[in-house]
Amino acid sequence: LEAILDCLYEKRSSTREAGLKGMIDALVARVMTHFVEDKYETLTHQILSSIKRSSSTEAALAGRALAMVSITAGAGKVAEHVFEASFPHLSKISKLGRNSAARVSAIEALGMLAFVGGVDLEEASAMEVLWQIVIHKGSAHADQTLGTSKPTPPVKAAAITAWSLLLSTLSSKRVMALQLPSVLGALSCLLEDPDVGVCKAAGEAIALLCEVGGIHLLEEQALGEGEATAMELQVVDQMKALAASSSRKGQTKKERSEQRSSFRDMVATLQGGACHETCVKLKHGDSLKISTWSQTVQLNAFRRLLGEGFQRHLQENDLLHQVFNFAPSNAVVSKGTAKQQKHQNCMASKMKTQLMNQRR
């Protein structure tokens, strides 16, 4: 990692990109909390330097690297520093970035950094930035009003998902202060979006909103009478239609089946039911039970960023233990270097020989 960090100082962009990729791979593969705590200021400064550069590939890698630094550090002063230093730059790229991949990466990083290191006001600021992307209508007038360039479908889906991640941390009182008719109306429009990713993300956001806010749609007292109730009925009808069938182009039979199943679970939540419980099987005989939309949204966010390292981090990373209230039954034991492993094998063989001699 020291060598990888040195690569971020190089002038050649390909060298910096290789350094960022190496850093991501290292932080995904192992939980290096001590290294991040010792070097977090340098790491943050150098990664932000890469984000500011014109290369879209470098900016996309830098966004994920920042998220990995925050996940590795866990909740505390380090994560708060990373978020405060990164917020202006990630917000700018999220709203005005020219490259779709770089914008998606910045949005995912912004959501995770606010989730781990944001306090109430800072978290609210991040949610506002993400919401401006969510409600963008794709017109030049919206560009001027919201200060946000037109988002592509992947960018809009990422913004909805990141906004939902932060929504999962709010109390029911704060959810009720979000001008729910307006929020539900905007998400209802997104259920009609031709892009499957946007549609599904909007459905999950609605289900999460109802769960966290304790709202049961079809109940008149939930949002008031009149126009709000008509809008509630419209949302439920849309969700039921998506749960019944799908005629979207480009979907396989399996994808259509998964979409129907997901929206059936969402409709059950809207009408006062609980989220369908799922069980994630882990190594060493452990399992993680997910029984709420909040946990589902959080689980998917960590899985996207950690990739193949999700299992290792869930076993060893204190942040994930706190988020999911999870205690691993068997901690992963580091094997050490090859020389140390050889020594351990020799000692084990010697002990086995002594034990056999005693038995004889």
Side-chain angles (χ1 to χ4, degrees), residues 32-265:
M32 301 186 182
T33 306
H34 293 302
F35 178 83
V36 169
E37 288 176 347
D38 290 341
K39 302 282 186 180
Y40 71 92
E41 291 184 339
T42 304
L43 285 168
T44 304
H45 180 268
Q46 289 307 121
I47 295 173
L48 286 176
S49 296
S50 291
I51 282 183
K52 298 173 193 175
R53 298 181 188 273
S54 58
S55 168
S56 57
T57 303
E58 185 175 356
L61 288 169
R64 189 179 177 195
L66 270 178
M68 287 306 308
V69 169
S70 184
I71 291 172
T72 303
K77 291 183 178 179
V78 173
E80 290 172 11
H81 170 85
V82 175
F83 175 66
E84 290 172 4
S86 306
F87 178 71
H89 308 290
L90 291 176
S91 298
K92 183 178 179 180
I93 296 177
S94 298
K95 296 173 70 174
L96 301 171
R98 295 180 180 179
N99 179 268
S100 180
R103 287 185 77 178
V104 169
S105 178
I107 287 168
E108 290 180 343
L110 179 61
M112 184 54 71
L113 264 62
F115 178 79
V116 179
V119 293
D120 290 347
L121 292 177
E122 294 166 339
E123 193 175 75
S125 299
M127 289 188 75
E128 179 62 28
V129 169
L130 295 168
W131 187 247
Q132 289 171 354
I133 301 171
V134 171
I135 62 175
H136 194 289
K137 300 291 186 180
S139 64
H141 177 69
D143 288 358
Q144 296 175 354
T145 305
L146 300 173
T148 304
S149 60
K150 181 180 178 179
T152 61
V155 170
K156 181 159 284 194
I160 299 169
T161 303
W163 183 83
S164 297
L165 175 63
L166 300 183
L167 177 67
S168 70
T169 66
L170 301 186
S171 64
S172 59
K173 184 178 180 180
R174 289 184 64 188
V175 169
M176 298 304 291
L178 288 177
Q179 297 181 338
L180 290 178
S182 173
V183 172
L184 273 178
L187 293 173
S188 172
C189 291
L190 293 173
L191 288 175
E192 304 293 336
D193 196 281
D195 184 80
V196 178
V198 172
C199 177
K200 185 178 179 182
E204 288 181 349
I206 292 171
L208 177 63
L209 193 65
C210 293
E211 178 187 86
V212 177
I215 305 165
H216 298 163
L217 297 190
L218 299 181
E219 292 183 2
E220 292 186 2
Q221 67 271 26
L223 292 177
E225 299 180 359
E227 188 176 321
T229 304
M231 183 269 296
E232 292 178 43
L233 291 169
Q234 177 184 333
V235 169
V236 174
D237 289 341
Q238 287 174 301
M239 301 277 271
K240 285 182 176 179
L242 289 165
S245 63
S246 174
S247 58
R248 295 175 185 272
K249 295 181 179 180
Q251 279 187 297
T252 64
K253 185 177 179 180
K254 181 180 179 182
E255 289 171 339
R256 288 196 297 271
S257 176
E258 289 176 350
Q259 177 179 303
R260 288 194 293 268
S261 176
S262 296
F263 275 95
R264 280 196 294 269
D265 293 340

Side-chain angles (χ1 to χ4, degrees), residues 316-334:
E316 299 182 17
N317 193 323
D318 289 338
L319 172 65
L320 272 69
H321 296 168
Q322 295 167 11
V323 170
F324 298 109
N325 193 25
F326 174 73
S329 58
N330 293 307
V332 179
V333 180
S334 175

